[in-house]
Amino acid sequence: MSAEHHVIDLVENDPQPARLTASRPWNVRLVAAFAVGVVLGGAGVGVLRSSRVERQRNAAVSLVAFPVSSGSLGADTDVVQMDGQLAVINAGPAPITVKSATGQRPGVQVQDTGQSRLVRPGGTTWISVKLRIECALAFGSEPLSIRFSVETADRQVREVSYPVAVAGSAWHQGAERPCTILADLARRHGQR
């Protein structure tokens, strides 16, 4: 055998001389194609996972709300109507737009004034509200559940609720004096 042959032919009956097989370049190409497929597949899974995490982040809503101010508008019998403000803190990871805020329980009704507010993550906004407070019922210990309509970063509108303490709040302090005056008037009228 000559030195140029790389494969030893073990079959003695084969009339053709031994040749170098061409399978080696194909093996390298197949391994390279497989490696490229693995890399691209891994990158694709990473992009999909990242996209899913981003969608979940944009859809998340987490907020905190509490009364911050009030101003008396008027009173009738034992009902005080006031303007007020509600502070809303975006505790979520993405910006939100607060579209509306409403709440009702015995003795208290809250309705926003119709202005949408954009709130960045970690940011605070103040929402103007109209309050209707029945002096005899409003200041119990149970919180008022405020329902918010919120547009998330993915342009979806979601409804979320947050319990707001009315007793001891700025709204309570703003209603105390008018409620005291109404109670005094009711006592005077009751004595006659």
Side-chain angles (χ1 to χ4, degrees), residues 5 9 17 35-36 42 53 55 68 73 91 103 105-106 111 114 119 123 129 145-146 152-153 165 186 190:
H5 296 289
D9 186 9
V36 168
V53 168
R55 280 193 314 272
V68 289
L73 284 179
R105 72 164 169 79
Q111 177 67 49
V119 192
V129 295
S145 180
I146 302 280
T152 56

Side-chain angles (χ1 to χ4, degrees), residues 36-49:
V36 168
V38 167
V39 169
L40 290 177
V45 168
V47 167
L48 286 174
R49 185 175 296 137

Side-chain angles (χ1 to χ4, degrees), residues 53-75:
V53 168
E54 183 69 18
R55 280 193 314 272
Q56 288 172 342
R57 183 175 97 55
N58 287 338
V61 176
S62 180
L63 55 83
V64 175
F66 55 91
V68 289
S69 69
S70 64
S72 183
L73 284 179

Side-chain angles (χ1 to χ4, degrees), residues 144-166:
L144 170 65
S145 180
I146 302 280
R147 190 178 74 237
F148 295 92
S149 178
V150 176
E151 184 178 324
T152 56
D154 63 354
R155 302 264 186 229
Q156 299 296 316
V157 176
R158 293 179 170 60
E159 300 289 326
V160 295
S161 294
Y162 189 82
V164 172
V166 176

Side-chain angles (χ1 to χ4, degrees), residues 24 81 95 133 158 163 182 184:
R24 188 170 197 181
Q81 296 194 21
I133 296 177
R158 293 179 170 60
L182 289 173
D184 288 345

Side-chain angles (χ1 to χ4, degrees), residues 10-142:
L10 298 178
V11 180
E12 295 178 17
N13 297 351
D14 193 0
Q16 295 192 4
R19 293 181 182 161
L20 183 62
T21 59
S23 64
R24 188 170 197 181
W26 281 105
N27 286 342
V28 171
R29 287 183 190 141
L30 284 173
V31 169
F34 179 74
V36 168
V38 167
V39 169
L40 290 177
V45 168
V47 167
L48 286 174
R49 185 175 296 137
S50 175
S51 174
R52 184 178 60 221
V53 168
E54 183 69 18
R55 280 193 314 272
Q56 288 172 342
R57 183 175 97 55
N58 287 338
V61 176
S62 180
L63 55 83
V64 175
F66 55 91
V68 289
S69 69
S70 64
S72 183
L73 284 179
D76 183 26
T77 334
D78 71 338
V79 176
V80 175
Q81 296 194 21
M82 304 184 325
D83 286 330
Q85 285 193 316
L86 185 65
V88 179
I89 301 168
N90 181 359
I96 59 172
T97 301
V98 179
K99 303 285 230 177
S100 68
T102 59
Q104 183 174 353
R105 72 164 169 79
V108 183
Q109 291 178 348
V110 176
Q111 177 67 49
D112 69 277
T113 59
Q115 295 178 342
S116 296
R117 301 284 184 179
L118 175 67
V119 192
R120 302 265 178 228
T124 303
T125 193
W126 289 265
I127 297 173
S128 295
V129 295
K130 299 284 186 192
L131 301 158
R132 185 178 186 280
I133 296 177
E134 294 178 41
C135 297
L137 302 172
F139 304 113
S141 60
E142 76 180 59

